[in-house]
Structure formats: C-alpha cells, structure tokens
Amino acid sequence: MQYTEETVKTLSSCFLQTLAPNPEPRKQAESFLKQVADQPGYGITILRLLSDPLVDAQVRQGAAVNFKNHVKYRWATPLDPDFPPALNPIQDPEKEQIKGLMVTLMLSTPPKIQSQLSEALSIMSQHDFPSKWQTLLPELVVSLQSATDYNIINGILQTSNSIFKRFRYQYKSNELFADLKYCLDGFAAPLLEIFLKTGQVIGSSSENLAILKPALECQRLSCRIFYSLNFQELPEFFENHMAEWMGEFHKYLIYTNPHVQETDPEKTSVIDELKAAICENINLYMEKNEEEFQGYLGQFATDVWSLLMSVSISTSQDWLATTAIKFLTTVSKSVHHKLFSDPATLKQISESIVIPNVRIRDEDEELFEMNHVEYIRRDVEGSDMDTRRRIACELVKGLSTHYREQVTSMFSGYLQNMIQEYAANPAQNWKAKDCALYLIVTLAPRQASLGATGTDLVNIEQFFDSQIVPELRVQDVNSNAVLKADALKFFTTFRSQIRKQLTLELMPQLIGFLVAESNVVHSYAALCIEKLLALKDGKQLRYTAADLAPFLQPLLTNLFSALKLPESQENSYIMRCIMRVLSIADAGPFAPQCLAELTGILAEVCKNPSNPSFNHYLFEAVAALVKKACERDPEQVTVFENMLLPVFQSVLEQDVTEFAPYVFQIMAQLIESRMPPLPPNYIAFFPPLLTPILWQRQANVPGLVRLLQAYLQKAPQEINQGNQLPQVLGVFEKLVASKNTDHQGFFILNTVIENVSFEVLSPYMGQIWTILFSRLQYRSTGKFIKSLIIFASLFVVKHGPSKVIDTVNSVQPNLFLSILDNVWSPNLSSITGETEIKLCAVAASMLFTPLLEGSATPYCGKLLNSVVTLLVKPEEERVDEEQDVPDLDEVVGYTAVYAQLHNSSKAEDDPLKDVKDPKEFLAKTLGGVSSQQPGKLPSIIQGLEPSNQTALGHLCSTFRISIV
C-alpha cells in the first residue's frame, strides 16, 4: 500500500465511519479496513497518516487505535499459539521500518495518540525486545536524557514501564535474567538520574501546578519501573544506590502540599498515587530484601504509620491506604515484629487503623444497593484483598502471628463493645454490629469444604444463638438488608458448627429470604442453602432428601421466583442452589413444573449466552432433574423429551457453540434412560452427529463421544442396518490419530466392542488393528498404550482370546506375539483404576490357555509376571507419573472449553460383573491350566521375580488352588 492523497482520503473516510452511530456504515468501514490490512505496507501507511498534523484529529485518533490492533493481531508469527491463523502477519522488512519510526513518532504526537502508540510499542516489544530490537532501549535512554518537557519524559517512562512489567511475574530462567541484566545495564542509571533531577524540580516548584503535577507523575512512573526492575531479585546497581532511592522515598512519604490534593473525592491525587507506589516498593524490599533493607525499616514504619493516621476514609485514598497497611502487615509477620510489641502500639494500630478501615462506609452501602454483583464479588468470592476492610483484617492476622493472645483479647473486647453499642440503639448503631460480624467472619480460619471451623474471638454457638438467630427470625425480610446479609454470610461461614436441628428450624426463614428485595440478601440466602446442602459428615451428606421434603415446595417456588426479581434473572447463586436442591431432593412430583421453568430460562439465555457460570448451573440443574426423574421412572422420559428436545434443536440450529457440549451430554442421558428400541426421531438425529464439522470443535468432542456411546448402547442394530458403522469407525480413526483425543477414540471403540456382535464387527477388525498399530509405531504415548491394552482386554473378555489373536495375526503373521511381548506385557502393570485393573488382569489370565496350547510358553512368563505385579503391588510402586505433551499444532488459537456436567456423568460400567475377585480368577485359571497341561507352569513360575513367586504362591494358597 502506497501513501498517496487518494489513500489518505479513503482511509480517513473509513476511520470516521468506524465512529458512526449507525451500524451499517460502521460495519462496511471495518470490513474494508480488514481487507486492506492484508496489503504489504499498510502499517507504515497508517503511521504516516496519524503523524500528519494536517489530518483531522478524530481520524488520527481512529488510525492510532487501528494501528494498535493491527500490531496486536499481526505482529506475531503463525508459530505463536495466540496467533489467529486467518490474519496475514506483518513481514519482517515492514516490521523493521515500523520499529525505526515508533519511538520518535510516539514522542511527537498528542497524548491520546501517544498512549495508543505506547501500547502498540509494548505489544511489539513482548515479541521482539531485546533480541530482535537492539535499538529500542538506547533510543529510549537518549530521548529520556535529552528531553526537557515532562509530557515527553512521561511518555518515555510510560512506555518503558509497560516494557519492563514482564519482569514482575515471569518465572525465573536464564533467558529472563539475561534480558533483565540488559535492561538494568542500559536503564538503571538514567532512571536514578531522572528521579533525582525531578526531585529537585519538585522542591523548587511547590506552587507551580503546571510543573508540579507532571513532575510528580514522573516520580510515580519511575517508582513503577523501580518495582519491575527489582521484582526478581535485588540488582547490584540498586543495592549500591539504595541510600539515594530510600532517601527520596522517605521525602515523598512525608511530603505535603495542599496544591496537589484533589478536590474531587472520587479522584486519586497524583501525590497519593506516588505514595502508594512507594509503599509497594518498600513492601517489596521488606518481603525480598529484608536484610539489606533493615537499616531503613524503622524510619519507614514511622512514615507509613503517620501516613495512615492522616489518610481519610474517602475512596480516593483507598489505594494508598491498602498499600500502606500491606507494608505494616509484612513487617508484623517478619523478624522485626518487635516494632509492634508494645501493648500501646497494638492498641493504637487497632483503634486508629484497623477499626476505622473495617467499618462500612457510605460507598460500601451504595455498592450494596446499586451494584450487587461487585459487592458480592468482593465480600464473598475473596476478590476484596485490596479493599480496606479485607486488608485491615489481614493486618490483624499479621499481628496475631507473634502476639496472638494480646490481639485476641483486645479484639474480643472491641467486639463486645460493638454488640453493646448496637443493642443500645439498633436503628442508629447498626454499623457497629456489621463491623463486628465482618471481623469475626474474616478473621476465622477456613477450610475450603466446611467454611470456618471456629474462632477464638467468640463462642460460635452462643454468638449464633444470641446475635444471628434473632436477625434471621425477623419477619420483614427487607428490613436492614446489610445486617440480614451479614447474618446469612455468618451462617454460611460457620455452617459446619451449627446444630442440624437448629438449621432445619431456620430453613423456613432462609427460604423466605430468597425473595427479599435486596439482590445481595437473596443471593446470600441461596448461597447459604446451597452450602448447607453440600455439607458432609464424613462421606455422607448431612442433609438428606428426607430432611428437605417438608420444605421442598416453598423452596423451589421461592428459588424460581428469585430468578424473576430485577437484575437477578441470571443470578448464578440462585441457579447453583436450584441445581443442588434438585441433585439431593426427591423432586418427582415437582419435576414437570421445574423442567418447564428451566427450559423457559434456557430458551431465553440462548439468545445471548453472557453468563457462563449461570449457564453451567442451569444445565447442571436440568441434568440433575433428568437423573433423578427419568432414571427412576423411565415413563417420564417422554415428558422430558417433549420439553427439552425443541430447545436443544434450537441450540444446534442457531449454532450456540457454548451450549452444544451441554446439549450432547443431556441427550446422552435421555437416551440412556430409555428402553430400546429408540423412537424414529432419535434415529433420524444420528446421521447429523457424524458430520465432520461438528467434530472439528474440540469443545464438542467429549460430549459427542458420550452421545455416540449412548446410541451404540441402545441402538447398535439400527446403526448397523443403516450402514453407519463405517462412519462411526471413521470418527474413531480421526480421534485416535491425535494425542489430545485418542482416549476419546478408544471410548467409542470400546463401546462398539461391547455392543456390536463379532459377526458384524469382523470385517472391520483388520482395519481397526492397522490404525492402532500404525499410531503405536509412529506416535506412541503412555496414555495411548494403556488405552490400547484396555481395549484389547475388553475384546478378550467379550469375544474370547482366540478372536483377538486371530484378528491381530490377520494383519501380519505372528504379530500378536510381538505385540504381547513388546507392548502388552511390559506395560500391563501401569494400568490404573479398579474396573480397568480387573478387566486387564482377567483378560491376561484368559490368554494363558491358548498361549500354552499354541506352544507360546516363552511369552507366558513375562505376561504372568506383569499380571501378578498388577494385582499385588500398590499403584505408587508400579506406575510412573507420565506427562503426555499435547499437540500444540492442534490447539492453536481460541477454542471453547468443554465443561463436563457432574450430574450427567456416565456411570462406570463393569464388563465383568460376575467376576468378584481378579486374584481368585487368576488362581483358578492357573489351576485349570496346570491340570490340563501338567508340567508347564513350574518352569514359567521359576522365571518370575522372586517377590512375585512368593506373592503368587500366597495367592494360590489363599484360594486353595494347586498350580504345581
């Protein structure tokens, strides 16, 4: 593409149209830009256009965004896993031209364009810097040292910051440290130079905001770069110049200037951002370089402490407060904890820092009412580690590390005072109780499955009876919603400690809260009920179907009613609770009504599947209903099919890719619940399942395999009569060729072996073995070999050992003995899984008779040794952990993830139900061989490993069988 007047005119028009409110011209412009982006020189043309000051500002801004996206999707090569194969990459000569222009252009454009180019440069550097872009760092350094305008300086630092961020969280490696050293050698000294120089500018410009604010922003960016360059370990340069850095850090932590404070209470001032960045830096040194840092610790502890005394509760200072408290928390857990040993110090921290930051603020109340999703995400899901409330509690935990008794005693007193304060005037002082409940819940030690197991702060049972039960039994579910939510959260947290009888007594109240007006309250009620129903005592659920029965109708009614409340139509907590109830309860009488509700919701979310968690629990709920209703009463299947299949058909016709894997699993459930023969509508649906395009989506494969297995189990004759077995085997061949899906191919093959007669299967066996042995020869893995042995073993027990031997040898004479000696016997002991071990041991035992009859005695010793090892040695002694590496060329680009439905899981089928003990089967088989062919076994047994000889002798004596 050439930069001509006509090109500029065309592109300018397109960039303006991409901003148009009307979707039609916008889509046309975007489509045109995608097409021309494939042309060589497109990136250079866009750079020239956005650098031209005569071009309209909106056009330049659009061009900058377009260029950033152009780089994002086309800078990488096709070898990158994230590279979309449909886009042509930028060629190397053009890349070099772009790299030559980037820094100069970025620094000469207006701020909005500069920020887009900075992001583009960062993307390019992820792939090319430093090995393929040796000029970048020197160019940035020269520009930094020569610049006098802080807009330009900050642009350089912003770009450098985005480049160096990669050093924060990457794993240590020689390559990483080589790149880090290169950056340190080139940038550490200029960074300190600009940091000190800017400090002098700030000192002499206390009232000139035009200079002061950009200068403070420069210091903030310098601190973020400091964090990146020091993250992995303490570099020599920074250790040698620690006094200069720490002196400046101290200066800014105590810096005050009313001119730079923000008047907007929701906007963070540049000085607070700088102080927060410094707190992160000293916290990093405290965590990773404690020995080198200890000389500065006392001063910084005082600085941060004093800082927190002056920090307001305004949201604008949240980041500063949390980073400062984090630093004190780190110190409290370290060997320098004695800084907090004075009881007066502990008291001051608790009363002046912890309690004020834990108390609910107006902003929290607003979040509770206006954005329940974010409130719950912070409050329940643990994503509030950077909120004041949570981080203040982390400080208490830190102080408790070395001063547990003092801290516990002190906070027990605070809690008592808060409860008394609330009791004196509940309407006025409800925030005191909220604070108390938050502290108890947050400070309690947790177990993932049981919630909190207790706390030293209060007696849980007594506190629950006196403070929580009254809140739950208030008739008005909408009064004081925050305390209701707190009470429900407390119940959920300490659920394992609450007496079962009391919980059942409170169940009507919990059900009532499901229709509370507050989204948080009804979400917490659903969460509480769901967690209670998931609670186990040992391996048994604490609450059974019988316990739920008296409450089931109002519970289901309120749960489905809650989904109709404003902003809770796709509430994941409610749907998860529905799923849990349907998994446990005997919902038979309510099944049609529940299914009608669920299919209605499903039809609605198909239009826009925007909430993956909700959608997953929705399908889990449907699967649970099918499992409970249809599997117990096959007559219900028709009712379920009439309601579900039209929705499922809509999902597949509209190609709702997120839902297809779920549909396949539940259809498999429905088929498995039916008695043969399958009705015509199912038979008609089978051929489309074999369409190759369906199998190209990886997320579809496990669900499709499951569905194919269901058809093979329930309609093998129909599949054969429809001449569709070759297509089924074609699917097997495709799946087994890949290391990522070969086990899925074996699932199909095993189901074919179990359900299709040998007479029907016989013509295909030569081809099947050829496919398997070809894969074994050229791309074998541990997983494949185990799957092959399990398949061959299933073939043996279903159709007899002679048919396996004959069909393998039909591929190549004596091939069976070669496979047995080189693959089967050496790997038999690596089989895992109770059913699989029994299957493989029995099949191997069945092989001894034909092998000995066929004069294959030399092969029997190796096989017998492996069978005994498989049966007598524990798994950890016989199985080596093997990590099969996936085929990266098969998983390039984005693919939807398969989500298995727990309630739709396939029941494990035991093909040897009549065999109770594989050890006994082996002993009896050897006993039979010994009596029919006396004298052959002793020599074989002599060749076993000594431990296996002993084990076999003990095994045979146990079952009173002689093999000599």
Side-chain angles (χ1 to χ4, degrees), residues 661-727:
Y662 294 126
V663 166
F664 298 141
Q665 292 175 78
I666 295 175
M667 284 188 67
Q669 261 187 294
L670 291 170
I671 291 174
E672 288 164 357
S673 301
R674 271 193 162 276
M675 298 297 291
L678 293 181
N681 62 331
Y682 275 117
I683 301 302
F685 186 73
F686 184 74
L689 287 183
L690 304 174
T691 308
I693 192 168
L694 268 182
W695 295 85
Q696 288 173 6
R697 291 179 182 152
Q698 280 193 331
N700 283 351
V701 170
L704 280 170
V705 168
R706 170 78 196 285
L707 184 52
L708 212 56
Q709 286 179 287
Y711 271 102
L712 287 164
Q713 287 170 342
K714 298 293 182 176
Q717 290 82 11
E718 290 90 333
I719 291 172
N720 182 46
Q721 288 164 6
N723 198 29
Q724 291 157 333
L725 190 57
Q727 290 174 274

Side-chain angles (χ1 to χ4, degrees), residues 382-589:
S383 62
D384 62 342
M385 286 307 296
D386 289 329
T387 65
R388 293 196 187 208
R389 301 190 94 183
R390 179 73 64 159
I391 206 66
C393 288
E394 290 302 309
L395 176 56
V396 178
K397 291 179 183 178
L399 294 170
S400 298
T401 306
H402 298 286
Y403 307 104
R404 186 172 191 81
E405 288 185 13
Q406 299 97 305
V407 171
T408 300
S409 174
M410 191 162 44
F411 274 88
S412 294
Y414 293 143
L415 292 173
Q416 191 173 357
N417 293 338
M418 290 174 193
I419 296 300
Q420 289 173 354
E421 184 184 347
Y422 169 75
N425 189 340
Q428 188 72 30
N429 299 332
W430 65 269
K431 291 186 178 182
K433 186 171 183 178
D434 169 79
C435 185
L437 294 180
Y438 187 90
L439 281 166
I440 296 169
V441 169
T442 309
L443 295 176
R446 302 295 178 93
Q447 272 182 260
S449 60
L450 300 178
T453 55
T455 175
D456 295 335
L457 293 172
V458 294
N459 179 298
I460 291 299
E461 285 195 29
Q462 291 178 4
F463 191 88
F464 187 81
D465 290 341
S466 65
Q467 301 300 325
I468 303 302
V469 172
E471 293 289 347
L472 298 177
R473 285 190 166 148
V474 171
Q475 291 298 310
D476 184 1
V477 296
N478 297 316
S479 66
N480 208 327
V482 174
L483 284 188
K484 296 294 186 296
D486 289 340
L488 289 164
K489 181 183 171 188
F490 188 100
F491 197 170
T492 307
T493 303
F494 296 102
R495 59 192 177 277
S496 63
Q497 307 301 303
I498 310 304
R499 305 182 303 280
K500 179 176 179 178
Q501 184 57 41
L502 178 56
T503 297
L504 293 175
E505 289 174 12
L506 291 169
M507 190 58 72
Q509 281 74 34
L510 293 179
I511 293 170
F513 283 121
L514 289 170
V515 288
E517 292 174 359
S518 165
N519 296 87
V520 176
V521 171
H522 61 243
S523 298
Y524 280 17
L527 178 65
C528 185
I529 294 170
E530 191 273 323
K531 291 294 186 185
L532 284 167
L533 296 183
L535 193 58
K536 289 185 177 182
D537 293 324
K539 293 185 178 180
Q540 298 297 318
L541 287 170
R542 181 178 294 186
Y543 301 94
T544 64
D547 294 323
L548 270 183
F551 315 108
L552 192 53
Q553 184 171 6
L555 176 56
L556 288 170
T557 300
N558 280 14
L559 281 167
F560 283 112
S561 297
L563 288 174
K564 297 177 177 68
L565 293 169
E567 297 184 34
S568 273
Q569 290 87 348
E570 294 188 25
N571 188 312
S572 299
Y573 297 101
I574 297 170
M575 186 53 73
R576 181 169 176 168
C577 189
I578 292 172
M579 175 271 294
R580 186 73 64 192
V581 171
L582 294 177
S583 301
I584 294 172
D586 184 5

Side-chain angles (χ1 to χ4, degrees), residues 195-204 216 219 244-256 271 274-275 278 299-300 303:
F195 193 60
L196 295 175
K197 179 181 173 183
T198 304
Q200 294 173 356
V201 171
I202 291 170
S204 60
L216 288 169
Q219 300 304 68
E244 293 155 274
W245 280 105
M246 297 305 151
E248 291 295 297
F249 288 170
H250 164 65
K251 182 174 81 176
Y252 294 118
L253 282 179
I254 62 172
Y255 180 85
T256 57
I271 187 61
L274 172 56
K275 289 179 179 182
I278 290 170
Q299 180 64 66
F300 280 122
D303 291 347

Side-chain angles (χ1 to χ4, degrees), residues 73-95:
Y73 294 112
R74 297 172 187 265
W75 195 268
T77 66
L79 296 176
D80 286 285
D82 295 329
F83 183 79
L87 300 181
N88 294 328
I90 301 169
Q91 297 303 307
D92 288 344
E94 187 178 352
K95 283 185 180 181

